[in-house]
Amino acid sequence: MNPQAPSGSWIRTDHMDAAEREGEVTGEVIKMIHGELPAVRWACAICGEDNCSIFFEPEANQRTLECEVCGASNVVHKEHDA
Ligand SMILES: [Zn+2]
């Protein structure tokens, strides 16, 4: 119980592991694998490194992906190429 913590607020604490770092980014569809699986390029929100991931659910508009460089979780939003 911490009386100073407003309930319902998301608070980053020092107890959090490095692995629990999380970012949110928009990815770019660079190509379609077998014409149906979108390969998405995205940059890690934490360390800025480029990553490329395949969305195995073509209808999914976002996926939580782990950065291969720093291990942070990134919520990657799939950008539709118009
Ligand atoms: Zn990273």
Side-chain angles (χ1 to χ4, degrees):
M1 291 281 280
N2 181 353
Q4 293 183 321
S7 63
S9 295
W10 186 79
I11 297 171
R12 197 175 273 276
T13 74
D14 293 331
H15 304 293
M16 210 170 253
D17 272 344
E20 291 182 69
R21 285 176 299 182
E22 196 172 289
E24 191 166 5
V25 296
T26 299
E28 177 195 357
V29 178
I30 49 174
K31 68 171 175 178
M32 301 293 281
I33 311 293
H34 304 308
E36 53 177 325
L37 303 179
V40 175
R41 188 174 63 198
W42 54 280
C44 176
I46 308 298
C47 74
E49 282 295 322
D50 282 336
N51 288 266
C52 187
S53 305
I54 296 168
F55 277 45
F56 291 102
E57 292 157 60
E59 270 127 55
N61 287 319
Q62 67 175 59
R63 240 192 108 182
T64 301
L65 297 164
E66 193 173 284
C67 174
E68 289 181 13
V69 177
C70 73
S73 290
N74 284 263
V75 178
V76 180
H77 297 269
K78 188 173 71 178
E79 185 181 64
H80 296 274
D81 43 355

